[in-house]
Amino acid sequence: MVLRLALLGMGAVGRGIIQAALEKDLGLIITAVADSRSGCIDPNGLNLPELLDRKDKTGMCGDTGISAETIVKTAPYDILVEMTPTDARSGEPATSYIRDALQRGSHVVTSNKGPVALHYHELASLAKKNHLQFRFEATVAGAIPILQTLIHNLGGNEILSLYGVLNGTCNYILTRMAEEGLTYKQALDEARTLGYAEADPTYDVKGIDAAIKLVILANTVWKKNICLDDVDVTGIDLLTEEALRLAEQQDATIRLIGEIIPGDNIYRLCPRIIPKDHPLVVQGSLNAIIVRTDLAGDLLFVGKGAGSRETASAVIGDILSIRDIHAGGN
Ligand code: HSE
């Protein structure tokens, strides 16, 4: 059975999905795509090379008369793949798109952190009530399958704590400043060019992006009901080049570390000085997470936390899980 996808968002992640669909036989067709200004629909499957070419040449993927909302409500699709930029405070317009798709009887996969951080419990219940899947692996730690692993594979454990590097952009900036002597601004510009940063990069450097990931982890893995204001957040935007130099002199470096200790309701994110041989001192856009559990002991996860192909990997994993459930597999 060929699954039909409608894609919302044609930034780094949306392009990553389209490229992967061109490179691999995934058993999928893309019947609709919207960007912030336009959209296109073809029930038989869009011509993807033409779509990419049009976007490169005109900055738009289709006609201005076709909006994301039109696609959500009228296009033919089995899975809505929602990849528009995160709004941490309202979660809109993405949350409305997701609700509408679930009410229409379609599964939803999203890489958008806003709706999951703000409305996970409501959206998960709506999906369950309608016998649909709502998946969001790409919202935390990019290519690392951390959510499925914690929720399902480690489901028999009590997960006692989690701490680690959860923002690829900040990790890239800190690495480039310490190792190549780049200024903060030069390193941030590079991270933006490489497609690691959020549409609004202040989300990355002020720690909002990593803090949202802590909220998503807390609410989905531990079934808490916390919001962004419950996280104690310090970003790297005020960190000086001098602070990094001082850390280097002690054979240490600085990393932006997020931490959850669910038993004590501790949720915090701040830059920390860490010895260079510590497992959380990873380079570039990598993320690294240490999870402490009662049965499995300590586990360390390392992988690319940002980037077009890496995030697409997580989104495609969710899509293929839904396909397998459809097919009655596992
Ligand atoms: N801007 C995010 C990061 C993207 O740098 O980690 C992945 O969530």
Side-chain angles (χ1 to χ4, degrees):
M1 175 190 151
V2 175
L3 276 182
R4 299 165 304 166
L5 309 183
L7 311 187
L8 303 186
M10 239 192 114
V13 187
R15 279 170 185 270
I17 302 288
I18 294 170
Q19 287 291 356
L22 279 169
E23 286 167 25
K24 295 164 184 274
D25 180 12
L26 298 172
L28 311 166
I29 57 168
I30 298 173
T31 50
V33 177
D35 58 24
S36 56
R37 291 190 286 159
S38 68
C40 49
I41 303 174
D42 184 339
N44 298 314
L46 292 160
N47 180 319
L48 301 182
E50 258 177 44
L51 172 69
L52 287 172
D53 193 49
R54 192 160 60 238
K55 178 77 177 169
D56 285 341
K57 288 191 175 132
T58 67
M60 292 192 291
C61 69
D63 302 330
T64 51
I66 302 177
S67 65
E69 199 182 341
T70 312
I71 286 178
V72 173
K73 292 191 167 150
T74 67
Y77 59 88
D78 303 300
I79 305 179
L80 181 75
V81 186
E82 204 290 319
M83 301 169 290
T84 62
T86 294
D87 183 313
R89 291 288 165 194
S90 74
E92 292 296 351
T95 305
S96 296
Y97 298 150
I98 293 173
R99 253 189 224 119
D100 287 348
L102 290 171
Q103 271 154 356
R104 239 192 116 186
S106 300
H107 306 286
V108 174
V109 174
T110 187
S111 61
N112 190 324
K113 293 149 205 143
V116 189
L118 290 161
H119 303 291
Y120 165 69
H121 296 293
E122 177 216 322
L123 296 173
S125 320
L126 179 58
K128 195 169 173 192
K129 189 178 107 201
N130 293 349
H131 309 289
L132 296 165
Q133 296 286 314
F134 171 52
R135 295 198 172 229
F136 42 85
E137 183 62 63
T139 58
V140 180
I144 306 175
I146 191 74
L147 292 170
Q148 283 295 308
T149 305
L150 296 186
I151 296 169
H152 296 290
N153 305 80
L154 295 172
N157 288 261
E158 184 179 349
I159 301 180
L160 305 167
S161 66
L162 173 150
Y163 65 116
V165 172
L166 290 165
N167 182 272
T169 301
C170 290
N171 207 67
Y172 182 87
I173 292 171
L174 294 170
T175 306
R176 296 288 282 159
M177 285 173 72
E179 293 189 354
E180 307 294 333
L182 261 62
T183 63
Y184 169 80
K185 188 180 174 316
Q186 284 170 327
L188 174 58
D189 286 347
E190 278 191 3
R192 294 189 76 179
T193 307
L194 290 164
Y196 300 153
E198 295 300 294
D200 174 357
T202 59
Y203 271 36
D204 295 289
V205 295
K206 287 185 178 296
I208 300 164
D209 175 82
I212 299 175
K213 290 167 179 159
L214 293 178
V215 173
I216 293 174
L217 284 160
N219 291 352
T220 62
V221 176
W222 287 278
K223 311 294 181 226
K224 299 272 184 181
N225 199 5
I226 67 162
C227 66
L228 193 50
D229 291 337
D230 295 315
V231 185
D232 191 356
V233 184
T234 311
I236 64 159
D237 52 327
L238 302 176
L239 197 75
T240 61
E241 287 150 36
E242 179 64 12
L244 264 171
R245 257 197 305 278
L246 286 172
E248 291 284 318
Q249 283 168 12
Q250 300 165 43
D251 216 18
T253 191
I254 297 178
R255 287 293 180 263
L256 182 64
I257 303 293
E259 183 174 21
I260 299 180
I261 308 176
D264 296 334
N265 288 319
I266 290 175
Y267 312 101
R268 66 182 157 219
L269 176 89
C270 59
R272 296 206 182 162
I273 298 175
I274 309 186
K276 277 191 174 164
D277 58 3
H278 192 281
L280 292 185
V281 179
V282 290
Q283 310 302 316
S285 64
L286 288 172
N287 282 188
I289 303 166
I290 293 174
V291 177
R292 185 150 287 176
T293 71
D294 62 345
L295 300 178
D298 288 358
L299 296 106
L300 171 67
F301 301 89
V302 177
K304 294 274 176 68
S308 170
R309 291 172 72 81
E310 294 81 357
T311 312
S313 161
V315 173
I316 293 167
D318 279 347
I319 293 167
L320 297 184
S321 305
I322 295 174
R323 182 195 62 188
D324 293 345
I325 292 168
H326 251 280
N330 49 30

